Amino acid sequence: MTETGARDLKALYEEHYSAAGSDAELYGAWRALGARGKADHVEALARALPQAPASIAEIGCGDGSLLGELALRGFGTARDGFELSEAAARIAARRDGVRHVEAFDGVTIPAGDSVYDLAILSHVLEHVPDPAQTLAETARVARAVIIEVPLEDNRSARRISKAGMWDDLGHLHHFSRASVAGFVHRAGLRIEADLTDPLPRAVHLFFARTRAQRARAELKAAARGGLYGLSPRRAERLFTVHYAALCLPAT
Ligand SMILES: C[S@@+](CC[C@H](N)C(=O)[O-])C[C@H]1O[C@@H](n2cnc3c(N)ncnc32)[C@H](O)[C@@H]1O
């Protein structure tokens, strides 16, 4: 990516986290809802580790909603965040249960080798130019890494892509399970455990305001839940599911 492209993306994230008034409340509630699902995934995958992790770093922690949710659940004892956006880092630093938050250049994490038991990259890798490089740098600072990304190489997401709707979100990649396996391997890691999530009804309903929007969202949630229940692998080729994986050093 060009330097201008990287600057534009950073400006986009700064704008996302600088909302005020009712917008800030709405997006805060949206992120809090998402954080509950993400924390469920982190807790489930961390059970595959030999010991419960104590020190945790989230790279690209945004406004710290996931770190805050993990703190509420008593997951880990020291929780730090590193973030590209200064506006986001300021919000994250104010959360209870978060020890330290630092804004950084998005390339070199300001932490020593293997200082954390666990690092988390939640919905960050689809935003970075070289996911293998970001994952390898994250693995440098922690003994294990949990990643979560949307799998957007599917029929429904390709229609959205054609309509040019990704630009607002800053997604540079639309991953499949195979492309995730590819960059995990290039980062020198292997997948120890993984899971997918078709997202709960509350997520589908969150932005529905009118009765018609709510009815459409209910239908969508029921259809997706039903398809996923029948065949999770087929479902992920049809619509976006969230994919989370525990990654350990390959050797
Ligand atoms: C979709 S948000 C996810 C926030 C949080 N991890 C979560 O799951 O709620 C993506 C975040 O990644 C950050 N980000 C993007 N590129 C980054 C990079 N190279 N290094 C660190 N953070 C980055 C953005 O500023 C943004 O806060």
Side-chain angles (χ1 to χ4, degrees):
M1 198 195 339
T2 62
E3 208 177 294
T4 316
R7 258 203 314 273
D8 287 351
L9 274 181
K10 183 167 186 296
L12 176 77
Y13 305 131
E14 294 296 0
E15 192 189 314
H16 280 179
Y17 293 108
S18 301
S22 58
D23 275 0
E25 235 170 76
L26 177 70
Y27 290 112
W30 170 244
R31 291 185 191 117
L33 171 64
R36 292 198 280 279
K38 292 167 184 174
D40 288 345
H41 303 158
V42 169
E43 284 189 319
L45 291 170
R47 282 186 209 112
L49 288 168
Q51 271 186 331
S55 56
I56 293 156
E58 189 187 359
I59 316 305
C61 65
D63 70 351
S65 39
L66 174 54
L67 283 174
E69 179 66 28
L70 292 173
L72 271 179
R73 297 176 183 207
F75 183 86
T77 54
R79 301 165 207 92
D80 294 346
F82 298 93
E83 208 347 280
L84 183 64
S85 152
E86 282 116 32
R90 278 194 294 275
I91 306 171
R94 291 198 293 266
R95 286 192 189 266
D96 286 342
V98 177
R99 180 176 67 174
H100 172 75
V101 179
E102 199 168 333
F104 79 117
D105 63 6
V107 179
T108 308
I109 301 165
D113 295 354
S114 304
V115 291
Y116 293 101
D117 295 329
L118 176 69
I120 300 168
L121 277 166
S122 166
H123 293 260
V124 172
L125 291 168
E126 66 273 25
H127 295 265
V128 301
D130 185 342
Q133 193 182 59
T134 300
L135 179 55
E137 171 60 6
T138 300
R140 179 186 66 74
V141 305
R143 285 176 278 282
V145 183
I146 290 178
I147 63 170
E148 177 163 323
V149 293
L151 294 184
E152 292 174 328
D153 184 10
N154 61 67
R155 199 188 292 178
S156 160
R158 274 193 289 274
R159 275 205 302 270
I160 298 172
S161 177
K162 268 195 202 135
M165 281 165 68
W166 296 121
D167 298 352
D168 284 353
L169 296 172
H171 289 196
L172 304 179
H173 310 277
H174 308 299
F175 296 128
S176 63
R177 204 179 261 268
S179 59
V180 174
F183 72 67
V184 168
H185 178 73
R186 285 195 295 284
L189 303 174
R190 66 182 167 82
I191 294 172
E192 173 71 10
D194 61 5
L195 60 83
T196 53
D197 182 351
L199 301 179
R201 179 176 164 271
V203 167
H204 292 291
L205 277 159
F206 189 85
F207 288 107
R209 291 289 166 272
T210 63
R211 191 187 289 189
Q213 286 169 344
R214 276 197 296 276
R216 256 202 313 275
E218 289 282 11
L219 253 175
K220 186 172 163 182
R224 289 189 172 195
L227 274 168
Y228 184 86
L230 285 174
S231 169
R233 289 296 183 116
R234 191 166 144 65
E236 76 190 38
R237 289 196 296 275
L238 296 175
F239 58 83
T240 298
V241 300
H242 288 182
Y243 175 75
L246 170 66
C247 305
L248 297 177
T251 49

